[in-house]
Coordinates of all heavy atoms in Angstrom, one line a residue:
E1 N 0.8 -1.2 0.0 CA 0.0 0.0 0.0 C 0.9 1.3 0.0 O 0.4 2.3 -0.6 CB -1.0 0.0 1.2 CG -2.1 -1.0 1.0 CD -3.2 -0.8 2.0 OE1 -3.3 0.3 2.7 OE2 -4.0 -1.7 2.1
R2 N 2.0 1.2 0.6 CA 2.9 2.4 0.6 C 3.3 2.8 -0.8 O 3.3 3.9 -1.1 CB 4.1 2.1 1.5 CG 4.6 3.3 2.2 CD 5.6 3.0 3.3 NE 6.9 3.1 2.8 CZ 8.0 2.4 3.2 NH1 7.8 1.5 4.2 NH2 9.2 2.6 2.8
A3 N 3.7 1.8 -1.6 CA 4.1 2.1 -2.9 C 3.0 2.6 -3.8 O 3.1 3.5 -4.6 CB 4.7 0.8 -3.6
A4 N 1.8 2.1 -3.5 CA 0.6 2.6 -4.3 C 0.3 4.0 -3.9 O 0.0 4.9 -4.7 CB -0.6 1.7 -4.0
A5 N 0.4 4.3 -2.6 CA 0.2 5.7 -2.1 C 1.2 6.7 -2.7 O 0.9 7.8 -3.1 CB 0.2 5.8 -0.6
L6 N 2.4 6.2 -2.8 CA 3.5 7.0 -3.4 C 3.2 7.3 -4.9 O 3.3 8.4 -5.4 CB 4.8 6.3 -3.3 CG 6.0 7.0 -3.8 CD1 6.3 8.4 -3.1 CD2 7.3 6.2 -3.7
L7 N 2.7 6.2 -5.6 CA 2.4 6.4 -7.0 C 1.2 7.4 -7.2 O 1.3 8.3 -8.1 CB 1.9 5.0 -7.6 CG 1.4 5.0 -9.0 CD1 2.5 5.3 -10.0 CD2 0.7 3.7 -9.4
L8 N 0.2 7.3 -6.4 CA -0.9 8.3 -6.5 C -0.4 9.7 -6.2 O -0.9 10.6 -6.9 CB -2.0 7.9 -5.5 CG -2.7 6.6 -5.7 CD1 -3.8 6.3 -4.7 CD2 -3.2 6.5 -7.1
G9 N 0.4 9.9 -5.2 CA 0.8 11.2 -4.8 C 1.9 11.9 -5.7 O 2.0 13.1 -5.7
T10 N 2.6 11.1 -6.4 CA 3.7 11.6 -7.3 C 3.4 11.6 -8.8 O 3.9 12.4 -9.5 CB 5.0 10.9 -7.0 OG1 4.9 9.5 -7.2 CG2 5.5 11.1 -5.5
V11 N 2.6 10.6 -9.2 CA 2.4 10.4 -10.6 C 0.9 10.7 -11.0 O 0.7 11.5 -11.9 CB 2.8 9.0 -11.1 CG1 2.5 8.8 -12.6 CG2 4.2 8.7 -10.8
I12 N 0.0 10.1 -10.3 CA -1.4 10.2 -10.7 C -2.0 11.6 -10.3 O -2.7 12.2 -11.1 CB -2.2 9.1 -10.0 CG1 -1.7 7.7 -10.3 CG2 -3.7 9.2 -10.3 CD1 -1.8 7.3 -11.7
A13 N -1.7 12.0 -9.1 CA -2.2 13.3 -8.7 C -1.2 14.1 -7.9 O -1.3 14.3 -6.7 CB -3.5 13.1 -7.8
P14 N -0.1 14.5 -8.5 CA 0.9 15.2 -7.8 C 0.4 16.6 -7.3 O -0.5 17.2 -7.9 CB 2.0 15.4 -8.8 CG 1.4 15.3 -10.2 CD 0.2 14.4 -9.9
E15 N 1.1 17.1 -6.3 CA 0.7 18.4 -5.8 C 0.7 19.5 -6.9 O 1.6 19.5 -7.7 CB 1.8 18.8 -4.7 CG 1.4 20.0 -3.9 CD 2.3 20.3 -2.8 OE1 2.9 19.4 -2.2 OE2 2.5 21.5 -2.4
G16 N -0.3 20.3 -6.9 CA -0.4 21.4 -7.9 C -1.1 20.9 -9.2 O -1.3 21.7 -10.1
S17 N -1.5 19.7 -9.3 CA -2.1 19.2 -10.5 C -3.6 19.4 -10.5 O -4.2 19.3 -11.6 CB -1.9 17.6 -10.6 OG -2.6 16.9 -9.6
G18 N -4.2 19.8 -9.4 CA -5.6 20.0 -9.4 C -6.4 18.7 -9.2 O -7.6 18.7 -9.3
K19 N -5.7 17.6 -9.0 CA -6.3 16.3 -8.9 C -6.1 15.9 -7.4 O -5.1 16.2 -6.8 CB -5.6 15.3 -9.8 CG -5.8 15.5 -11.2 CD -5.0 14.5 -12.0 CE -5.0 14.8 -13.5 NZ -4.1 13.9 -14.2
R20 N -7.1 15.1 -6.9 CA -7.0 14.5 -5.6 C -7.2 13.0 -5.8 O -8.3 12.6 -6.2 CB -8.0 15.1 -4.6 CG -7.7 14.7 -3.2 CD -8.6 15.4 -2.2 NE -9.9 14.7 -2.2 CZ -11.1 15.2 -2.3 NH1 -11.2 16.5 -2.5 NH2 -12.1 14.5 -2.2
A21 N -6.3 12.2 -5.4 CA -6.4 10.7 -5.5 C -6.6 10.1 -4.1 O -6.0 10.6 -3.1 CB -5.1 10.2 -6.2
E22 N -7.4 9.1 -4.1 CA -7.6 8.4 -2.8 C -7.5 6.9 -3.1 O -8.1 6.3 -4.0 CB -9.0 8.6 -2.3 CG -9.3 8.0 -1.0 CD -10.7 8.3 -0.5 OE1 -11.2 9.4 -0.8 OE2 -11.3 7.4 0.2
L23 N -6.6 6.2 -2.3 CA -6.4 4.8 -2.4 C -7.5 4.1 -1.8 O -7.9 4.3 -0.6 CB -5.1 4.5 -1.7 CG -4.6 3.0 -1.8 CD1 -4.4 2.5 -3.2 CD2 -3.4 2.8 -1.0
V24 N -8.2 3.2 -2.6 CA -9.2 2.3 -2.1 C -8.6 1.0 -1.5 O -9.0 0.5 -0.5 CB -10.3 2.1 -3.1 CG1 -11.4 1.1 -2.7 CG2 -10.9 3.4 -3.6
G25 N -7.7 0.5 -2.3 CA -7.1 -0.8 -1.8 C -5.9 -1.1 -2.7 O -5.8 -0.7 -3.9
A26 N -5.0 -1.9 -2.2 CA -3.8 -2.4 -2.9 C -3.4 -3.8 -2.4 O -3.6 -4.1 -1.2 CB -2.7 -1.4 -2.8
K27 N -3.0 -4.6 -3.3 CA -2.5 -6.0 -2.9 C -1.5 -6.5 -3.9 O -1.4 -6.0 -5.1 CB -3.7 -6.9 -2.8 CG -4.4 -7.3 -4.1 CD -5.6 -8.2 -3.8 CE -6.4 -8.4 -5.1 NZ -7.5 -9.4 -4.9
E28 N -0.7 -7.4 -3.5 CA 0.3 -8.1 -4.3 C -0.1 -9.5 -4.4 O -0.5 -10.2 -3.5 CB 1.7 -8.0 -3.5 CG 2.8 -8.6 -4.3 CD 4.1 -8.5 -3.5 OE1 4.4 -7.4 -2.9 OE2 4.9 -9.4 -3.5
V29 N -0.1 -10.0 -5.7 CA -0.6 -11.3 -6.0 C 0.5 -12.1 -6.8 O 1.1 -11.5 -7.7 CB -1.9 -11.3 -6.8 CG1 -2.3 -12.7 -7.2 CG2 -3.0 -10.6 -6.1
E30 N 0.8 -13.3 -6.3 CA 1.8 -14.2 -7.1 C 1.0 -15.1 -7.9 O 0.0 -15.7 -7.5 CB 2.6 -15.0 -6.1 CG 3.6 -14.1 -5.3 CD 4.8 -13.6 -6.0 OE1 5.2 -14.3 -7.0 OE2 5.3 -12.5 -5.7
W31 N 1.4 -15.3 -9.2 CA 0.7 -16.2 -10.1 C 1.7 -16.8 -11.1 O 2.3 -16.0 -11.8 CB -0.4 -15.5 -10.9 CG -1.2 -16.4 -11.8 CD1 -1.0 -16.5 -13.1 CD2 -2.2 -17.3 -11.5 NE1 -1.8 -17.4 -13.7 CE2 -2.6 -17.9 -12.7 CE3 -2.8 -17.7 -10.3 CZ2 -3.6 -18.9 -12.8 CZ3 -3.8 -18.7 -10.4 CH2 -4.2 -19.2 -11.6
E32 N 1.9 -18.1 -11.0 CA 2.8 -18.8 -11.9 C 4.2 -18.1 -12.0 O 4.7 -17.9 -13.1 CB 2.2 -19.0 -13.3 CG 0.9 -19.9 -13.2 CD 0.4 -20.2 -14.6 OE1 0.8 -19.6 -15.6 OE2 -0.6 -21.0 -14.6
G33 N 4.7 -17.7 -10.9 CA 6.1 -17.2 -10.9 C 6.2 -15.7 -11.2 O 7.3 -15.1 -11.2
E34 N 5.1 -15.0 -11.4 CA 5.0 -13.6 -11.7 C 4.4 -12.9 -10.5 O 3.5 -13.4 -9.9 CB 4.2 -13.3 -13.0 CG 4.7 -14.0 -14.2 CD 6.0 -13.5 -14.9 OE1 6.5 -12.5 -14.3 OE2 6.4 -14.0 -15.9
T35 N 4.8 -11.7 -10.3 CA 4.2 -10.8 -9.2 C 3.4 -9.8 -9.9 O 3.8 -9.1 -10.8 CB 5.2 -10.2 -8.3 OG1 6.1 -11.3 -7.8 CG2 4.6 -9.4 -7.2
Y36 N 2.1 -9.6 -9.4 CA 1.2 -8.6 -9.9 C 0.8 -7.7 -8.8 O 0.6 -8.1 -7.7 CB -0.1 -9.3 -10.5 CG 0.2 -10.2 -11.7 CD1 0.6 -11.5 -11.5 CD2 0.1 -9.7 -13.0 CE1 0.8 -12.3 -12.6 CE2 0.4 -10.5 -14.1 CZ 0.7 -11.8 -13.9 OH 1.0 -12.6 -14.9
Y37 N 0.8 -6.4 -9.1 CA 0.4 -5.4 -8.1 C -0.9 -4.8 -8.5 O -1.0 -4.2 -9.6 CB 1.5 -4.3 -8.0 CG 2.8 -4.9 -7.6 CD1 3.7 -5.3 -8.6 CD2 3.2 -5.2 -6.3 CE1 5.0 -5.8 -8.3 CE2 4.4 -5.7 -6.0 CZ 5.3 -6.1 -7.0 OH 6.5 -6.6 -6.6
C38 N -1.9 -5.0 -7.7 CA -3.3 -4.6 -8.0 C -3.6 -3.3 -7.1 O -3.5 -3.4 -5.9 CB -4.3 -5.7 -7.7 SG -3.8 -7.2 -8.5
V39 N -4.1 -2.3 -7.8 CA -4.4 -1.0 -7.1 C -5.8 -0.5 -7.5 O -6.1 -0.5 -8.7 CB -3.3 0.1 -7.4 CG1 -3.6 1.3 -6.7 CG2 -1.9 -0.4 -7.2
E40 N -6.6 -0.2 -6.5 CA -7.9 0.4 -6.8 C -7.9 1.8 -6.1 O -7.5 2.0 -5.0 CB -9.0 -0.4 -6.2 CG -10.4 0.1 -6.4 CD -11.5 -0.7 -5.9 OE1 -11.3 -1.9 -5.5 OE2 -12.6 -0.2 -5.8
Y41 N -8.3 2.8 -6.9 CA -8.2 4.2 -6.4 C -9.2 5.1 -7.1 O -9.7 4.7 -8.2 CB -6.8 4.8 -6.5 CG -6.3 4.8 -8.0 CD1 -6.4 6.0 -8.7 CD2 -5.7 3.7 -8.5 CE1 -5.9 6.0 -10.0 CE2 -5.2 3.8 -9.8 CZ -5.3 4.9 -10.6 OH -4.8 5.0 -11.9
T42 N -9.5 6.2 -6.5 CA -10.3 7.2 -7.2 C -9.5 8.5 -7.4 O -8.5 8.7 -6.7 CB -11.6 7.6 -6.3 OG1 -11.2 8.1 -5.1 CG2 -12.4 6.3 -6.1
V43 N -9.9 9.2 -8.5 CA -9.2 10.5 -8.7 C -10.4 11.5 -9.0 O -11.3 11.2 -9.7 CB -8.3 10.4 -10.0 CG1 -7.7 11.8 -10.3 CG2 -7.3 9.4 -9.8
R44 N -10.2 12.7 -8.3 CA -11.2 13.7 -8.4 C -10.6 15.0 -8.8 O -9.5 15.3 -8.4 CB -11.9 13.8 -7.1 CG -13.0 14.9 -7.0 CD -13.4 15.1 -5.5 NE -13.9 13.9 -4.9 CZ -15.2 13.6 -4.8 NH1 -16.1 14.4 -5.3 NH2 -15.5 12.4 -4.2
T45 N -11.3 15.8 -9.7 CA -10.9 17.1 -10.0 C -12.2 18.0 -9.8 O -13.2 17.4 -9.4 CB -10.4 17.3 -11.5 OG1 -11.6 17.1 -12.3 CG2 -9.3 16.4 -11.8
A46 N -12.1 19.2 -10.1 CA -13.3 20.1 -10.0 C -14.3 19.7 -11.0 O -15.5 19.9 -10.8 CB -12.9 21.5 -10.2
A47 N -13.9 19.1 -12.1 CA -14.8 18.7 -13.2 C -15.3 17.3 -13.2 O -16.3 17.0 -13.8 CB -14.1 19.0 -14.5
W48 N -14.5 16.3 -12.6 CA -14.9 14.9 -12.7 C -14.4 14.1 -11.5 O -13.5 14.6 -10.8 CB -14.5 14.3 -14.0 CG -13.0 14.6 -14.4 CD1 -12.6 15.5 -15.3 CD2 -11.9 13.9 -13.9 NE1 -11.2 15.5 -15.4 CE2 -10.8 14.5 -14.6 CE3 -11.6 12.8 -13.1 CZ2 -9.5 14.0 -14.3 CZ3 -10.3 12.4 -12.8 CH2 -9.3 13.0 -13.5
H49 N -15.0 12.9 -11.4 CA -14.6 12.0 -10.3 C -14.6 10.6 -10.9 O -15.7 10.1 -11.4 CB -15.6 12.1 -9.2 CG -15.3 11.3 -7.9 ND1 -16.2 11.0 -7.0 CD2 -14.1 10.7 -7.5 CE1 -15.6 10.3 -6.0 NE2 -14.3 10.1 -6.3
R50 N -13.5 9.9 -11.0 CA -13.3 8.6 -11.6 C -12.9 7.6 -10.7 O -12.1 7.8 -9.7 CB -12.4 8.7 -12.8 CG -12.9 9.7 -13.9 CD -12.1 9.5 -15.2 NE -12.7 10.3 -16.2 CZ -13.6 9.9 -17.0 NH1 -14.2 8.7 -16.9 NH2 -14.1 10.6 -18.0
H51 N -13.3 6.3 -10.9 CA -12.8 5.2 -10.2 C -11.9 4.3 -11.1 O -12.3 4.1 -12.2 CB -14.1 4.3 -9.8 CG -13.8 3.5 -8.6 ND1 -14.4 3.7 -7.4 CD2 -13.0 2.4 -8.4 CE1 -14.0 2.8 -6.5 NE2 -13.2 2.0 -7.1
N52 N -10.8 3.9 -10.6 CA -9.8 3.2 -11.4 C -9.4 1.9 -10.8 O -9.3 1.8 -9.5 CB -8.5 4.1 -11.4 CG -8.6 5.4 -12.2 OD1 -8.2 5.5 -13.3 ND2 -9.2 6.3 -11.5
V53 N -9.1 0.9 -11.6 CA -8.5 -0.3 -11.2 C -7.3 -0.5 -12.1 O -7.4 -0.3 -13.3 CB -9.5 -1.5 -11.4 CG1 -8.8 -2.8 -11.2 CG2 -10.7 -1.3 -10.5
A54 N -6.1 -0.8 -11.5 CA -4.9 -0.9 -12.2 C -4.2 -2.2 -11.8 O -4.2 -2.5 -10.6 CB -4.0 0.3 -12.1
V55 N -3.5 -2.8 -12.7 CA -2.6 -4.0 -12.4 C -1.3 -3.7 -13.1 O -1.2 -3.3 -14.2 CB -3.2 -5.3 -12.9 CG1 -2.4 -6.5 -12.5 CG2 -4.7 -5.5 -12.4
Y56 N -0.2 -3.9 -12.3 CA 1.1 -3.7 -12.8 C 1.9 -5.0 -12.7 O 1.8 -5.7 -11.7 CB 1.9 -2.6 -12.0 CG 1.1 -1.3 -12.0 CD1 0.2 -1.0 -11.0 CD2 1.2 -0.4 -13.0 CE1 -0.5 0.2 -10.9 CE2 0.5 0.8 -13.0 CZ -0.3 1.1 -12.0 OH -1.0 2.2 -12.0
A57 N 2.8 -5.3 -13.6 CA 3.7 -6.5 -13.6 C 4.9 -6.1 -14.4 O 4.9 -5.4 -15.3 CB 3.0 -7.7 -14.1
A58 N 6.0 -6.7 -14.0 CA 7.3 -6.4 -14.6 C 8.0 -7.7 -15.0 O 7.9 -8.7 -14.3 CB 8.2 -5.6 -13.8
R59 N 8.6 -7.7 -16.2 CA 9.3 -8.8 -16.7 C 10.5 -8.3 -17.6 O 10.2 -7.5 -18.5 CB 8.5 -9.8 -17.4 CG 9.2 -11.0 -17.9 CD 8.4 -11.9 -18.9 NE 7.4 -12.6 -18.3 CZ 6.4 -13.2 -19.0 NH1 6.4 -13.1 -20.3 NH2 5.5 -13.9 -18.4
D60 N 11.7 -8.8 -17.3 CA 12.8 -8.4 -18.2 C 13.0 -6.9 -18.3 O 13.1 -6.5 -19.5 CB 12.7 -9.1 -19.5 CG 12.7 -10.7 -19.4 OD1 13.4 -11.2 -18.4 OD2 12.1 -11.3 -20.2
N61 N 12.9 -6.2 -17.2 CA 13.0 -4.7 -17.3 C 11.9 -4.0 -18.0 O 12.2 -2.9 -18.5 CB 14.4 -4.3 -17.7 CG 15.5 -4.8 -16.8 OD1 15.3 -4.7 -15.6 ND2 16.6 -5.2 -17.3
L62 N 10.8 -4.6 -18.3 CA 9.7 -4.0 -19.0 C 8.5 -4.0 -18.0 O 8.3 -4.9 -17.3 CB 9.3 -4.7 -20.2 CG 10.3 -4.8 -21.3 CD1 9.8 -5.7 -22.5 CD2 10.5 -3.4 -21.9
L63 N 7.8 -2.9 -18.0 CA 6.6 -2.7 -17.1 C 5.4 -2.9 -18.0 O 5.2 -2.3 -19.0 CB 6.6 -1.3 -16.5 CG 5.4 -1.0 -15.6 CD1 5.3 -2.0 -14.4 CD2 5.4 0.4 -15.2
Y64 N 4.5 -3.8 -17.5 CA 3.2 -4.0 -18.2 C 2.1 -3.5 -17.3 O 2.1 -3.8 -16.1 CB 3.0 -5.5 -18.5 CG 4.1 -6.1 -19.4 CD1 5.3 -6.5 -18.9 CD2 3.9 -6.1 -20.8 CE1 6.3 -7.0 -19.7 CE2 4.9 -6.6 -21.6 CZ 6.1 -7.0 -21.1 OH 7.1 -7.5 -21.9
T65 N 1.1 -2.8 -17.9 CA 0.1 -2.3 -17.1 C -1.3 -2.5 -17.7 O -1.4 -2.6 -18.9 CB 0.2 -0.7 -16.8 OG1 0.1 -0.1 -18.1 CG2 1.6 -0.4 -16.3
L66 N -2.3 -2.6 -16.8 CA -3.7 -2.6 -17.2 C -4.3 -1.5 -16.4 O -4.2 -1.6 -15.1 CB -4.4 -3.9 -17.0 CG -5.9 -3.9 -17.1 CD1 -6.3 -3.8 -18.5 CD2 -6.5 -5.1 -16.4
N67 N -5.0 -0.5 -17.0 CA -5.7 0.5 -16.2 C -7.1 0.7 -16.8 O -7.2 0.9 -18.0 CB -4.9 1.8 -16.2 CG -5.5 2.8 -15.2 OD1 -6.3 2.4 -14.3 ND2 -5.2 4.1 -15.4
A68 N -8.1 0.5 -16.0 CA -9.5 0.8 -16.5 C -10.1 1.8 -15.5 O -9.9 1.7 -14.3 CB -10.2 -0.6 -16.5
Q69 N -10.9 2.6 -16.1 CA -11.6 3.6 -15.2 C -13.0 3.9 -15.8 O -13.3 3.7 -16.9 CB -10.8 4.9 -15.2 CG -10.6 5.6 -16.6 CD -9.8 6.9 -16.5 OE1 -10.3 7.8 -15.9 NE2 -8.6 6.9 -17.0
C70 N -13.8 4.4 -14.8 CA -15.2 4.8 -15.2 C -15.6 6.0 -14.3 O -15.0 6.1 -13.2 CB -16.2 3.7 -15.1 SG -16.6 3.1 -13.5
P71 N -16.6 6.7 -14.6 CA -17.1 7.8 -13.7 C -17.5 7.1 -12.4 O -18.1 6.0 -12.4 CB -18.3 8.4 -14.4 CG -18.0 8.1 -15.9 CD -17.3 6.8 -15.9
E72 N -17.2 7.8 -11.3 CA -17.5 7.2 -10.0 C -19.0 6.8 -9.9 O -19.3 5.8 -9.3 CB -17.1 8.2 -8.9 CG -17.4 7.7 -7.5 CD -16.6 6.5 -7.1 OE1 -15.5 6.2 -7.6 OE2 -17.1 5.7 -6.2
R73 N -19.9 7.6 -10.4 CA -21.3 7.4 -10.3 C -21.7 6.1 -11.0 O -22.8 5.5 -10.8 CB -22.1 8.6 -10.9 CG -22.0 8.7 -12.4 CD -22.8 9.9 -12.9 NE -22.6 10.1 -14.3 CZ -21.5 10.7 -14.9 NH1 -20.6 11.2 -14.1 NH2 -21.4 10.8 -16.2
E74 N -20.8 5.5 -11.9 CA -21.1 4.3 -12.6 C -20.4 3.1 -12.0 O -20.5 2.0 -12.5 CB -20.7 4.4 -14.1 CG -21.6 5.4 -14.8 CD -21.1 5.7 -16.3 OE1 -20.3 4.8 -16.8 OE2 -21.5 6.7 -16.9
W75 N -19.6 3.3 -11.0 CA -18.7 2.3 -10.4 C -19.5 1.1 -9.9 O -19.2 0.0 -10.2 CB -17.8 2.8 -9.3 CG -17.1 1.7 -8.6 CD1 -17.2 1.2 -7.4 CD2 -16.0 1.0 -9.2 NE1 -16.4 0.2 -7.2 CE2 -15.6 0.0 -8.3 CE3 -15.4 1.0 -10.5 CZ2 -14.6 -0.9 -8.5 CZ3 -14.4 0.0 -10.7 CH2 -14.0 -0.9 -9.8
E76 N -20.6 1.4 -9.1 CA -21.3 0.3 -8.5 C -21.8 -0.7 -9.6 O -21.8 -1.9 -9.4 CB -22.5 0.8 -7.7 CG -23.1 -0.2 -6.7 CD -24.0 0.4 -5.8 OE1 -23.7 1.4 -5.1 OE2 -25.1 -0.1 -5.6
Q77 N -22.3 -0.2 -10.7 CA -22.9 -1.1 -11.7 C -21.8 -1.8 -12.5 O -22.0 -2.8 -13.2 CB -23.8 -0.4 -12.6 CG -23.2 0.7 -13.5 CD -24.2 1.5 -14.2 OE1 -25.3 1.8 -13.7 NE2 -23.8 2.0 -15.4
N78 N -20.5 -1.2 -12.5 CA -19.4 -1.8 -13.3 C -18.4 -2.5 -12.5 O -17.5 -3.1 -13.1 CB -18.8 -0.7 -14.1 CG -19.7 -0.2 -15.2 OD1 -20.1 -0.9 -16.1 ND2 -20.0 1.1 -15.2
A79 N -18.4 -2.4 -11.2 CA -17.4 -2.9 -10.3 C -17.0 -4.4 -10.6 O -15.8 -4.8 -10.7 CB -17.7 -2.8 -8.9
G80 N -18.0 -5.2 -10.8 CA -17.8 -6.7 -11.0 C -17.0 -6.9 -12.3 O -16.1 -7.7 -12.4
A81 N -17.4 -6.2 -13.4 CA -16.7 -6.4 -14.7 C -15.2 -5.9 -14.6 O -14.3 -6.5 -15.1 CB -17.4 -5.6 -15.8
F82 N -15.0 -4.8 -13.8 CA -13.7 -4.2 -13.7 C -12.8 -5.2 -12.9 O -11.6 -5.4 -13.2 CB -13.7 -2.9 -13.0 CG -14.0 -1.7 -13.9 CD1 -15.1 -1.7 -14.7 CD2 -13.0 -0.7 -14.0 CE1 -15.3 -0.6 -15.6 CE2 -13.3 0.4 -14.9 CZ -14.4 0.4 -15.7
E83 N -13.4 -5.7 -11.8 CA -12.6 -6.7 -11.0 C -12.3 -8.0 -11.7 O -11.2 -8.5 -11.6 CB -13.4 -7.0 -9.7 CG -13.5 -5.8 -8.8 CD -14.5 -5.9 -7.7 OE1 -15.2 -6.9 -7.6 OE2 -14.7 -4.9 -6.9
Q84 N -13.2 -8.4 -12.6 CA -13.0 -9.6 -13.4 C -11.9 -9.3 -14.4 O -11.0 -10.1 -14.7 CB -14.3 -10.0 -14.1 CG -14.1 -11.3 -14.8 CD -15.5 -11.8 -15.4 OE1 -16.4 -11.0 -15.5 NE2 -15.5 -13.0 -15.9
M85 N -11.9 -8.1 -15.0 CA -10.9 -7.7 -16.0 C -9.5 -7.7 -15.3 O -8.6 -8.3 -15.9 CB -11.3 -6.4 -16.6 CG -10.3 -5.9 -17.6 SD -10.7 -4.2 -18.2 CE -12.2 -3.7 -17.6
A86 N -9.4 -7.1 -14.2 CA -8.2 -7.0 -13.5 C -7.6 -8.4 -13.1 O -6.4 -8.7 -13.2 CB -8.3 -6.1 -12.2
A87 N -8.5 -9.2 -12.6 CA -8.1 -10.6 -12.2 C -7.6 -11.4 -13.4 O -6.9 -12.4 -13.2 CB -9.3 -11.3 -11.5
S88 N -8.1 -11.1 -14.6 CA -7.7 -11.9 -15.8 C -6.4 -11.4 -16.4 O -5.8 -12.1 -17.3 CB -8.8 -11.8 -16.9 OG -8.8 -10.5 -17.5
F89 N -5.8 -10.3 -16.0 CA -4.6 -9.7 -16.6 C -3.4 -10.7 -16.3 O -3.1 -11.0 -15.1 CB -4.3 -8.3 -16.0 CG -3.1 -7.7 -16.5 CD1 -3.0 -7.3 -17.8 CD2 -2.0 -7.5 -15.7 CE1 -1.8 -6.7 -18.3 CE2 -0.8 -6.9 -16.2 CZ -0.7 -6.5 -17.5
R90 N -2.8 -11.2 -17.3 CA -1.6 -12.1 -17.1 C -0.6 -11.7 -18.2 O -0.9 -11.4 -19.3 CB -2.0 -13.5 -17.4 CG -3.1 -14.1 -16.4 CD -2.4 -14.3 -15.0 NE -3.4 -14.9 -14.1 CZ -4.1 -14.2 -13.2 NH1 -4.0 -12.9 -13.2 NH2 -4.9 -14.8 -12.4
L91 N 0.7 -11.9 -17.8 CA 1.8 -11.9 -18.8 C 1.8 -13.2 -19.5 O 1.7 -14.3 -18.8 CB 3.1 -11.6 -18.1 CG 3.2 -10.3 -17.3 CD1 4.6 -10.2 -16.7 CD2 2.9 -9.1 -18.2
T92 N 1.9 -13.2 -20.8 CA 1.9 -14.4 -21.5 C 3.1 -14.5 -22.5 O 3.7 -13.5 -22.7 CB 0.6 -14.6 -22.4 OG1 0.5 -13.5 -23.3 CG2 -0.7 -14.6 -21.5
G93 N 3.3 -15.6 -23.1 CA 4.3 -15.7 -24.1 C 5.7 -16.1 -23.4 O 5.9 -15.8 -22.2
A94 N 6.5 -16.7 -24.2 CA 7.8 -17.1 -23.7 C 8.6 -15.9 -23.5 O 8.6 -14.9 -24.2 CB 8.5 -18.0 -24.7
R95 N 9.5 -15.9 -22.5 CA 10.3 -14.8 -22.2 C 11.2 -14.4 -23.4 O 11.4 -13.2 -23.6 CB 11.2 -15.0 -20.9 CG 10.4 -15.1 -19.7 CD 11.3 -15.4 -18.5 NE 10.5 -15.5 -17.3 CZ 10.3 -14.5 -16.4 NH1 10.9 -13.3 -16.7 NH2 9.6 -14.6 -15.4
E96 N 11.7 -15.4 -24.0 CA 12.6 -15.0 -25.2 C 11.8 -14.4 -26.4 O 12.4 -13.9 -27.3 CB 13.4 -16.3 -25.6 CG 12.6 -17.5 -25.9 CD 12.3 -18.4 -24.7 OE1 12.8 -18.1 -23.6 OE2 11.6 -19.4 -24.9
A97 N 10.5 -14.5 -26.4 CA 9.7 -14.0 -27.4 C 9.4 -12.5 -27.2 O 8.9 -11.8 -28.1 CB 8.4 -14.7 -27.6
L98 N 9.8 -12.0 -26.0 CA 9.5 -10.6 -25.8 C 10.6 -9.7 -26.5 O 11.7 -10.1 -26.8 CB 9.6 -10.3 -24.3 CG 8.6 -11.0 -23.4 CD1 8.9 -10.8 -21.9 CD2 7.2 -10.4 -23.8
P99 N 10.2 -8.4 -26.8 CA 11.1 -7.6 -27.5 C 12.3 -7.2 -26.6 O 12.1 -7.2 -25.4 CB 10.3 -6.3 -27.8 CG 9.2 -6.4 -26.9 CD 8.9 -7.8 -26.6
P100 N 13.4 -6.9 -27.2 CA 14.6 -6.5 -26.3 C 14.3 -5.2 -25.6 O 13.5 -4.4 -26.1 CB 15.7 -6.3 -27.3 CG 15.1 -6.1 -28.6 CD 13.7 -6.8 -28.6
T101 N 14.9 -5.0 -24.4 CA 14.7 -3.7 -23.7 C 15.4 -2.6 -24.5 O 16.4 -2.8 -25.2 CB 15.2 -3.8 -22.3 OG1 16.6 -4.2 -22.3 CG2 14.5 -4.9 -21.5
L102 N 14.9 -1.4 -24.3 CA 15.5 -0.2 -24.9 C 16.7 0.3 -24.2 O 16.8 0.2 -23.0 CB 14.5 0.9 -25.1 CG 13.2 0.5 -25.9 CD1 12.2 1.6 -25.9 CD2 13.7 0.2 -27.3

């Protein structure tokens, strides 16, 4: 959760951006030798309020992300689909099939 809070405060909604981010939850999940970081958060500005679900994984110095968002007022009706989408995110393919790092 500490890393997720740092991400929200420095990248998603840094000071002076006019955005306010709130961490809803964060967890680390191991699956078939890969580590996935799952983060749920909201972001609010004067004009909008959005609910986000993100999953991060790294392999061979590459970062892979899934981020889905919807207006907060639609979250309750979409939460199940978003959670299912996040839970299905997996790194696939043989490691040697990945592109070289830059």
Side-chain angles (χ1 to χ4, degrees):
E1 285 192 15
R2 208 165 102 210
L6 182 64
L7 175 70
L8 295 182
T10 58
V11 178
I12 305 295
E15 189 174 331
S17 68
K19 299 176 187 173
R20 191 175 83 231
E22 182 178 331
L23 181 63
V24 175
K27 64 182 176 179
E28 182 178 318
V29 177
E30 294 287 331
W31 179 262
E32 296 185 354
E34 304 283 0
T35 304
Y36 297 85
Y37 302 93
C38 309
V39 182
E40 182 179 345
Y41 60 96
T42 62
V43 180
R44 181 189 301 261
T45 69
W48 48 262
H49 187 196
R50 297 196 174 273
H51 203 111
N52 294 258
V53 173
V55 182
Y56 305 94
R59 181 192 285 168
D60 298 330
N61 294 321
L62 296 173
L63 177 65
Y64 297 87
T65 66
L66 168 74
N67 187 20
Q69 61 178 291
C70 71
E72 180 63 30
R73 69 182 177 279
E74 297 175 14
W75 175 251
E76 197 170 308
Q77 69 190 31
N78 291 302
F82 276 59
E83 291 164 2
Q84 185 177 12
M85 182 183 351
S88 72
F89 180 71
R90 298 286 183 264
L91 299 183
T92 62
R95 289 179 183 263
E96 54 273 358
L98 294 173
T101 58
L102 301 175

